Amino acid sequence: MTARTLTAPQVREALPGALRKLSPHELLATPVMLVVELGAVVTTVLSVLDPSVLGWSVTVWLWLTVLFGTLAESVAEGRGKAQAASLRALQTDTLARRVRGGVDQLRHAGDRWELPVEEVPSSSLRRDDVVLVQAGERIPADGDVVEGVASVDESAVTGESAPVIRESGGDRSAVTGGTVVLSDRIAVRVTSDPGQSFVDRMIALVEGSERQRTPNEAALEVLLSALTVVFLVVVGTLYLIADHSGARQSVLVLVALLVCLIPTTIGALLSAIGIAGMDRLVRRNVLAMSGRAVEAAGDVDVLLLDKTGTITHGNRRASELLAVTGVAPEELADAALLASLADETPEGRSIVELVAPGDAPPVPAGAELVEFSAATRMSGVDLPGRLVRKGAASAVARWVHGTGPAAAHPSVAEVETLVQRVSEQGGTPLVVAAQEGTAPARLLGVVHLKDVVKDGIRERFAELRAMGIRTVMVTGDNAVTARVIAEEAGVDDVLAEATPEDKMRLIREQQQGGRLVAMCGDGTNDAPALAQADVGVAMNTGTAAAKEAGNMVDLDSDPTKLLEVVEIGKQLLITRGALTTFSVANDVAKYFAVLPAMFVVAFPQLGVLNVMQLSSPESAIVSAVVFNALVIVALVPLALRGVRYRPAAADVLLRRNLLVYGLGGLVTPFVGIKLLDLVVSLIPGL
């Protein structure tokens, strides 16, 4: 469903909801539109008692004005119905194998998979229940993996077709109800009660049933209500002036004047703007716990970004091979490749990709692979008459020294220099060595592993800087490594060797300085900072503590999504400001249309205000009322799509807003009302 145009199917789907929203009880939330509806009721009664073309024309278009306002909100809410329907498909009640005794039973079981279980409907599961799920089965509820590891298909929730790995412990333990286990088996501890899962909350969000007005939206509604009261007083005063001067005006004309003067455009679109902003967030698979969080994202001054997975790729990659004197680069590359064939870590695979791009080379005949382990911190291969090793500098040094006296290794000093140089550049050095027969092993060189900054991230940070947002990279790395990555990525500041307490202290310092702070995280140790931040985006794959602490959850678990969240928040605020500016500005033309029409007969001198040269007082009134209604329809697509956001400083955005929407709101009604007058004047009786 596109936000750029209002199609006939969209209108048909939204019309029943728009008609229901005509109830005065529903319109209490939008006082401006309630006043328009009351005015429509008054003109309806007057038109029935004293029928006229003018009376019925004004009445019909006042009702249409209210309907267009409720239609805008209904269309905005309707955009989430298709997504909600697909999410509801995940909530099929299935049988779950619940472990009797829960976590305690699992903790004391000898064989974790030979447990007493009972089959129960998934709808009966409660928080802290433990269920067993195996390949081909649907995970019955949101939870954390407490035993096992499995690949999970989350495409129904995230839209990402590639399966993901979920395992017990660490920050990749969370699973979502309705997703499917593709391989192996896991034990899941349920973390939500029925009706409170993320899917339930996402459905409520996209349907608009849980969207509450944000503080800024409520404040704007108060302002619009105050303006409405002011214009009520103004119209009442004009009635007394007209009566005193002999230029008596009918209640019908005064109601038309009131509706044209009050800010009906933004009053009608305000709710739709908020709903559409939340919808844009949901379409990027981010679940906001409140509209306040979305608004806060638009006002963020400081972004705290984790280095790994956000600024850099998740794992360090081999970038170059540094051979020692006397060793050919080809010999080092061949040895590094052989020693990495049994290394299944991302770093090991990156060495294979660097040396032999494409398909991995076959294992040589007669080779015995030595797999990488955390204990040895090395991997390698044993060939007939030749041993090759690759690993951490200290681990390889011990292995080399174990093959012969230190004096037999003249390359030690050179390797130490290379290791130091790589470390100072913020990289991780891996040393490669080989032993031929019974001779002492030789040091061949160093593999430079480095954090690879993501493509385009420096440009994104430049955009944020143009918005006036300061970026801070948070990492557990040492200060040297952190500074190198920060300089390459283009962030404004860095917090190295960061602990949870350091993150909290930094956030509080920024907030005490009057700044709004956003951060993302996925671990239990991130929970305090997520709760303290004004915008806390938790990864869906993270721990339950992190998701409960944040006010947004990224279902894709992509840390860089924080940048998009900020842009969506800013777009929401800019759209609301732009349409408010347009709404207030376009009232000016209505003064020049309706006020001369009211008084020109009694005071011909006021004819000079009829700058649009409208055909007659009756035609002027109807044209203004019709334009007042049609402009709502014209702006609905913009309210749903949002004003295009370009990174810029606040003063630049303000000038552009006033130029485009202030000046546009001033000029457009003069043109529109004049064109409508040319048509309306052709209607007999006007």
Side-chain angles (χ1 to χ4, degrees), residues 303-314 451-458 461 471-475 482 484-494 520 558-560 563:
L303 276 181
L304 266 61
L305 298 157
D306 186 48
K307 183 201 73 174
T308 305
T310 305
I311 295 174
T312 67
H313 290 281
D451 281 310
V452 179
V453 174
K454 291 184 176 179
D455 293 338
I457 199 74
R458 189 179 184 90
F461 288 147
T471 54
V472 181
M473 184 182 80
V474 180
T475 176
V484 171
I485 297 299
E487 183 177 349
E488 184 178 352
V491 296
D492 299 313
D493 203 352
V494 61
C520 62
D558 177 7
T560 60
L563 304 177

Side-chain angles (χ1 to χ4, degrees), residues 357-382:
D359 297 333
V363 178
E368 182 178 340
L369 298 178
V370 179
E371 296 182 357
F372 174 85
S373 72
T376 64
R377 294 190 299 158
M378 291 191 303
S379 64
V381 62
D382 292 346

